[in-house]
Amino acid sequence: MNAATRRASLQLPYTHVDDFYINGSWVKAEGTQRNPVVDPAVGQEWGSVPEATASELDSAVGAARTALKSWSALTGAERTGYLLKIATEIESRSEALALTNTRENGSPISETRGAASNAAGIFRYFATLAPWLDGEDIRPFPAGSAESIVDKDPIGVCALIAPWNFPINLVVIKLAPALLAGCTVIIKPASPTPLSIRFIIEAIEAAGVPAGVVNLLTGSGRFGDALVRHPGVDKVAFTGSTPVGKKIAAACGELLRPVTLELGGKSSAIILPDADMSVLSTRLIRSCMRNTGQTCYISTRIIAPSSRYAEVVQTVASTIAAGRQGDPYDEETVFGPVASASQYSTVMSYIDSAREEGARVVAGGTRSISLSEGLESGEFIQPTVFADVTPDMRISREEIFGPVISILKYDDTNGVSEAIALANNTKFGLGGLVFGADEEQALEVARQVDSGSVGINFFGSNHSAPFGGRHESGMGVEYGIEGLSAYLTYKSIHRTI
Ligand code: NAP
Ligand code: MG
């Protein structure tokens, strides 16, 4: 099927919408400004959403403040009942959600088909933490004559601001712990991906979550800034780029408003001298170029030993070149387009800079041609691998957020310390990988990588383990009890015994 026919047959329920979800109902937008939604595989607008006004923001925050009173009064166990229903309702919307998400940002359908079950899994995981949340915590004074009851109170009304690369997951990892904690929320999705999140709102409604607990507004970065600074907001949870994260941190600093920031990355895969090339090849795309290179934690810098450099370059180049690129609606597609015209120009300018700085193209390196009919105007960049990258080059230091891998070399004649130093030589600290046959040595190396998460021969995200970045990759963590704690504020009540 060609791209146009396929799109004509989609019948997506949300395309051009003119409302927001405020206080338990869909409310027609009062303003006239609209923001387009573009399918990056064909370069055509197919949807649009309204820009929320200041008074709509006031209404949503007001609804969340009112709902906070009764929602926070429930026990964790009572709120868990809602979380489990939401999970089931999300799963029943899986296909429509996936089709919408793929049209928004060009993520391959094989990726977006997992979004609903992943979201349901996150709700179910947080539901398991209700006993911890509800459990009584009493701590004796060290001197013995008194004790403290440690209460875990919800932090309040939370602004949840998400990027476009995983528009469902990156909202749900905030929403599920916020709801369990007893918080109420206002969600602002990224402008390229404002529609798929409506299936999560549908699920919230179907699960009977009380009015005002969850509100959805759409708008630009300027609207996001107004949300961050709104006097009725108690906490901000943000995932996105480092420059925007710094602006939000500055605003929250002035307001002394708690904030969680999950920001950019530039992670490295260290190849140890004993690494198995077939393991590298099997795990490479998922760990180093997932979602056409638009994943925050992937290891887009490969640090290869001089003793096996040519072999690593050959393995990486041939694996990437063999990944099929095409219509993201095609189930066989591994690499889609990048998510927008602006991402296209940013990524292409990095490719140009790498050439100018002397890196060697070993796969890709240009706009993609010979795709199937109808994709000629899409934002397709060939998955690209550069060898002979040195640490000072821009592509080695800056986040590209597109399908580009850089291979650097370390001298392994006297061990692997140079590899660790190279991996730690960025301003970020989000992910990382160590490929090696000796798991003990790989663990030893992983412990020396200065980042929030490191994988050994694979990378995954574990809902029960904290995920977050160091340095310019952010502040605070999501997932796990630690991620739930970000939505709590502790109170110690002292009494004599
Ligand atoms: P972005 O440009 O920083 O935008 C993220 C969100 O912030 C969007 O909803 C955006 O709205 C909004 N925004 C923009 N300016 C704002 C402001 N001044 N105040 C409040 N909100 C504002 O990021 P992106 O381009 O969507 O996403 C890609 C980035 O996200 C990459 O850097 C990637 O590494 C990072 N990321 C990090 C993680 C992690 O967990 N660490 C995970 C995924 C992605 P508009 O869309 O309307 O501009
Ligand atoms: Mg942006």
Side-chain angles (χ1 to χ4, degrees), residues 414-433:
N414 297 311
V416 298
S417 57
E418 196 180 314
I420 298 163
L422 275 174
N424 291 340
N425 180 25
T426 77
K427 43 186 191 159
F428 299 103
L430 190 58
L433 270 156

Side-chain angles (χ1 to χ4, degrees), residues 309-310 312-321 355 359-365 383-388 405-407:
Y309 191 72
V312 172
V313 169
Q314 157 64 21
T315 304
V316 173
S318 61
T319 308
I320 294 297
R355 279 213 180 80
R360 173 166 60 101
V361 182
V362 291
T384 297
V385 180
F386 282 104
D388 304 343
I405 284 177
S406 304
I407 310 181

Side-chain angles (χ1 to χ4, degrees), residues 379-419:
E379 313 298 345
F380 289 91
I381 298 172
Q382 287 179 352
T384 297
V385 180
F386 282 104
D388 304 343
V389 174
T390 54
D392 51 305
M393 292 180 189
R394 272 182 71 209
I395 55 160
S396 170
R397 291 181 283 117
E398 298 174 19
E399 180 181 56
I400 302 174
F401 224 59
V404 182
I405 284 177
S406 304
I407 310 181
L408 292 87
K409 188 190 288 180
Y410 70 95
D411 179 355
D412 61 320
T413 9
N414 297 311
V416 298
S417 57
E418 196 180 314

